[in-house]
Amino acid sequence: MRLRLKIALWLERWRRHNLKELHPLRQLFWESTLRCNVHCLHCGSDCIASIETPDMPAEDFLKVIDTEVTPHVDPHEVMIVISGGEPLMRKDLAEVGRALKQRGYPWGMVTNGLALTEKKFHELLDAGLRSITVSCDGLEADHVWLRQHHLAFEGATRAIRLIAEYNSRQHSAVSRQPIAWDVVTCVNQRTIDHLPAIREMLWDLGVRDWRVFGIDPMGRAAENPELILTDAQFKQLMDYIVSEREAGRHVSYSCEGYLGDYEGRVRDHLYQCAAGISVASILIDGSISACTSIRGKYYQGNIYKDSFWSVWENGFKPYRDRSWMRQTEPCKDCKAFSFCEGNGMHLRREDGSLMLCHLKRLQVTD
């Protein structure tokens, strides 16, 4: 490992440990619905209860914001991300956005784009939308296959065009401001060799920030092994990102997983898992968690019986002290544990074992 990288990793470790002590809330996810308008083969939550599980009432979420969050934070410093399911399935999404805007919170959302019409987009902008991420998982045939909806690609590309065209316009002083946005792509065995064509297609649509990541063996993806990259393909993905970044294009890997010698080369920051440190979530049933895809064992409470802020201040011990992961494989004898600290929390099964070790996958193919 390069000496400069090793020094940077030790400094990042110190910064991360200091952040654990402070644990400032900077991002709050709201799993607002389990309903969805597509049936993705790789859905991490599986959305099994999407029909039976009602949406969380907006007033329940806003009550937590008003009584448990706002008294303790500067609203302008906490990004609220509305997720699902598909958040556009909620008819009151703009109303919730306006309520958050009035309280001073920036808010954003993650969408598959299928229901994002021009009218809806501008309605959300008026409601204070500040950031948006659109999922586009390949060229048309592969995206439709993964999303299991014949209009999925049309919806995603329409949404991308809407956002790109909006941001490219010259705004007057009284106009809306440009929003932060990017496109995310779940790379699988069918699409790994199509990345150059996908990038070219996205750039033609106006994309300039592209995040890519592999699919983890959870939810429906666990039943579709062809979605999971092989170790050699995973390394291929890292090498592709490096080549794109060296060419001056902003392509990056997701936040998950310590990547050894690829650190500092495939994303804008060194590895960190902010779950439970600066990131929290309120799930559809009121559960208090970190990222929305983390297993139930690691939930820290429930807004319907616990104080959210008390949980945030005094809970999340498995997230902030990861020494327990040292007892699990393959972490027991790993020399990189000081930098990795057991990988992303969402990759931990209910029994504490690790689904995937990114570093191990890369070492196998060296």
Side-chain angles (χ1 to χ4, degrees), residues 87-107:
L88 287 171
M89 298 294 286
R90 289 189 68 111
K91 293 182 179 180
D92 63 351
L93 183 59
E95 294 175 30
V96 176
R98 275 191 291 273
L100 293 172
K101 179 183 178 182
Q102 291 167 359
R103 289 159 170 79
Y105 289 92
W107 68 277

Side-chain angles (χ1 to χ4, degrees), residues 5-18:
L5 174 58
K6 185 171 287 189
I7 293 172
L9 288 168
W10 279 111
L11 289 173
E12 170 60 25
R13 181 176 184 270
W14 176 84
R15 187 200 69 83
R16 190 168 62 242
H17 281 217
N18 186 54

Side-chain angles (χ1 to χ4, degrees), residues 103-116:
R103 289 159 170 79
Y105 289 92
W107 68 277
M109 60 182 289
V110 182
T111 180
N112 59 43
L114 188 60
L116 190 66

